[in-house]
Amino acid sequence: MLGVYFDNAATSYPKPERVIEAMRDYFLNVGANSGRSAYHHAQEASRIVFETRECVAQLIGAKDSSRVIFTSNATEGLNMAIMGILNEGDEVVTTSMEHNSVMRPLRYVEQTRSVRIKTVQCSQKGELDPDDVKRNIGLQTKLIVMTSASNVTGTLFPVSEVSRMAREFEIPMLIDAAQTSGCVPLDVTKDVFDVVAFSGHKGLLGPQGTGCLYIREGIDLRPIRYGGTGSHSEFEFQPDFLPDRYESGTLNVIGIAGLGAAVNYLLEKGVENVRAGEEQLMESLLDTISHMEDVTVYGTGDSRYRTGVLSITIDGMEPSEVGYELDAHYDIALRVGLHCSPAAHKTIGTFPEGTIRISLGPFNTEDDINLLCNALDEITVRK
Ligand SMILES: Cc1ncc(COP(=O)(O)O)c(C=O)c1O
């Protein structure tokens, strides 16, 4: 058991008890592949996959669950969308706050398909002005891709506004919702979002190795993987219906079983309640931490416009030193450094050392916040 865990932006911990039970139950009592056979264990596996898909669809407001594709993480979904949409000579508009899971596939298509990347510069607080996106849209723009919230500053991005703009220009928009799914309410139907990639193992509280890609009706991605789906096995061509078009190969059924239990937990609790709890904890954290001597806080100070992610630095100390002290002497786990987002650190002025990132989850308490703040107090006095 970990002491105090503040690395929920990387992966959430702990998981609801029912996630562990569902995974254990799958391994003990089911075990089979989904979508392949008719014996009752296999049907049970297919039922688990179907029900999890329905639960995720319900959580994100998708009317048709077949448009929810299971992936192994947010990165896979982002790759599927970027590789599946962009062609030779296209332009893509993105922001200066993106994670490498967006930037690296973009750099790959820049090198291999001569795709031109237009990067919208965000403010030093990590905020995006939607008008700057508009100014960067050109005739060759074939995709807009941006995060729903920064994994460095926690700043929420105006994805609804940009999505409306993208629709006016008839350009598909890809949202990297890794940092908001399960933590901030999302309704893909109300907002008419085109393509949304998210992790199953962060805010959704499922196990590692799970993620989803939502694809709106009318949007087609060229698959990046082809192979067996268990459907239309008489044909050597990839099925054109969803989800099979994008789900070749054996699914991570045990992970999906855990994800289903996690999403059920969230549906019962309500994402708006998770959000309210994290907002309250963030207010307490900001209240104390922003008054600490030698501590610099990044991003907006208003918890309504941020997620449960906070980056700080301490004058005269490397983030890695602070991370080590917290782990070794206080059993407090958090992440330090660049958090896979070098561009974001260049934007906020913390490159190359990075920051100390405190990322809250639904199981953190005021006591955890007090323990962290007291530890930081002691560390800064000792330095
Ligand atoms: C903003 C953002 N995008 C993408 C990812 C990648 O998520 P995953 O690890 O599920 O691939 C992360 C993970 O930290 C993230 O914070």
Side-chain angles (χ1 to χ4, degrees):
M1 187 76 186
L2 284 173
V4 179
Y5 187 76
F6 282 125
D7 199 15
N8 291 282
T11 203
S12 54
Y13 181 85
K15 309 292 182 187
E17 196 58 37
R18 67 179 83 176
V19 173
I20 300 156
E21 279 162 23
M23 295 176 78
R24 187 179 148 80
D25 185 57
Y26 169 80
F27 249 164
L28 285 179
N29 301 316
V30 184
N33 260 0
S34 61
R36 302 291 194 269
S37 296
Y39 56 89
H40 73 274
H41 281 249
Q43 285 190 20
E44 179 59 12
S46 298
R47 186 194 60 78
I48 290 170
V49 171
F50 175 77
E51 285 183 359
T52 302
R53 210 186 295 280
E54 289 276 303
C55 284
V56 174
Q58 192 184 336
L59 192 80
I60 65 170
K63 294 269 184 288
D64 175 2
S65 71
S66 72
R67 308 214 66 94
V68 173
I69 311 303
F70 287 122
T71 60
S72 51
N73 45 43
T75 304
E76 187 182 9
L78 291 164
N79 271 269
M80 286 164 69
I82 290 169
M83 310 288 178
I85 291 178
L86 290 170
N87 293 309
E88 190 71 29
D90 287 347
E91 271 179 18
V92 55
V93 176
T94 189
T95 86
S96 71
M97 291 296 287
E98 301 305 317
H99 190 275
N100 271 343
S101 290
V102 166
M103 290 317 299
R104 287 182 175 171
L106 286 184
R107 291 292 175 206
Y108 175 75
V109 290
E110 180 185 45
Q111 285 178 335
T112 56
R113 298 181 195 171
S114 309
V115 168
R116 184 160 172 236
I117 305 170
K118 287 180 151 182
T119 306
V120 178
Q121 187 60 36
C122 296
S123 75
Q124 234 200 332
K125 282 195 167 174
E127 290 159 333
L128 175 81
D129 179 350
D131 285 340
D132 286 339
V133 176
K134 199 173 193 169
R135 275 189 275 279
N136 277 278
I137 292 174
L139 284 178
Q140 294 311 313
T141 307
K142 296 291 159 39
L143 180 67
I144 297 173
V145 46
M146 73 173 57
T147 187
S148 54
S150 163
N151 66 314
V152 174
T153 59
T155 314
L156 284 165
F157 272 54
V159 282
S160 304
E161 209 176 327
V162 175
S163 152
R164 278 195 295 278
M165 184 192 299
R167 217 161 39 254
E168 273 170 37
F169 284 90
E170 295 182 14
I171 298 166
M173 177 173 172
L174 164 62
I175 299 173
D176 171 4
Q179 288 300 329
T180 53
S181 55
C183 319
V184 179
L186 166 70
D187 190 328
V188 295
T189 304
K190 192 170 119 258
D191 274 318
V192 205
F193 285 149
D194 294 326
V195 190
V196 187
F198 46 99
S199 319
H201 62 98
K202 298 186 198 267
L204 290 194
L205 306 176
Q208 280 114 328
T210 61
C212 299
L213 182 70
Y214 164 77
I215 308 170
R216 178 174 69 77
E217 201 182 340
I219 303 270
D220 185 53
L221 314 177
R222 198 173 36 244
I224 59 170
R225 201 173 57 211
Y226 297 80
T229 56
S231 54
H232 289 301
S233 294
E234 66 277 26
F235 297 125
E236 288 184 349
F237 292 95
Q238 190 71 6
D240 59 2
F241 54 88
L242 272 61
D244 299 33
R245 180 162 166 74
Y246 304 108
E247 282 184 357
S248 293
T250 296
L251 287 179
N252 173 13
V253 186
I254 186 167
I256 291 170
L259 179 63
V263 174
N264 254 308
Y265 169 87
L266 283 173
L267 286 169
E268 275 172 35
K269 187 173 166 91
V271 175
E272 63 289 352
N273 294 320
V274 172
R275 170 82 183 134
E278 286 187 9
E279 239 182 279
Q280 201 175 334
L281 278 186
M282 183 49 77
E283 261 169 39
S284 302
L285 179 60
L286 279 168
D287 231 25
T288 314
I289 227 164
S290 52
H291 294 109
M292 284 168 95
E293 225 174 290
D294 299 334
V295 172
T296 305
V297 171
Y298 297 88
T300 170
D302 190 333
S303 57
R304 285 173 305 164
Y305 302 112
R306 55 154 57 255
T307 60
V309 171
L310 181 72
S311 262
I312 61 165
T313 50
I314 296 178
D315 292 351
M317 287 190 88
E318 293 287 331
S320 54
E321 271 179 86
V322 180
Y324 171 77
E325 289 267 339
L326 287 171
D327 178 39
H329 303 302
Y330 301 91
D331 203 6
I332 294 176
L334 46 65
R335 188 165 168 193
V336 295
L338 294 175
H339 320 110
C340 298
S341 303
H345 287 278
K346 286 178 187 162
T347 305
I348 67 169
T350 49
F351 188 83
E353 293 80 14
T355 56
I356 302 151
R357 183 180 74 178
I358 304 146
S359 55
L360 309 176
F363 300 111
N364 282 123
T365 61
E366 292 281 350
D367 280 350
D368 294 344
I369 302 283
N370 292 336
L371 284 169
L372 174 69
C373 291
N374 290 338
L376 287 173
D377 248 346
E378 288 180 14
I379 291 170
T380 44
V381 166
R382 272 205 306 272
K383 79 176 158 97

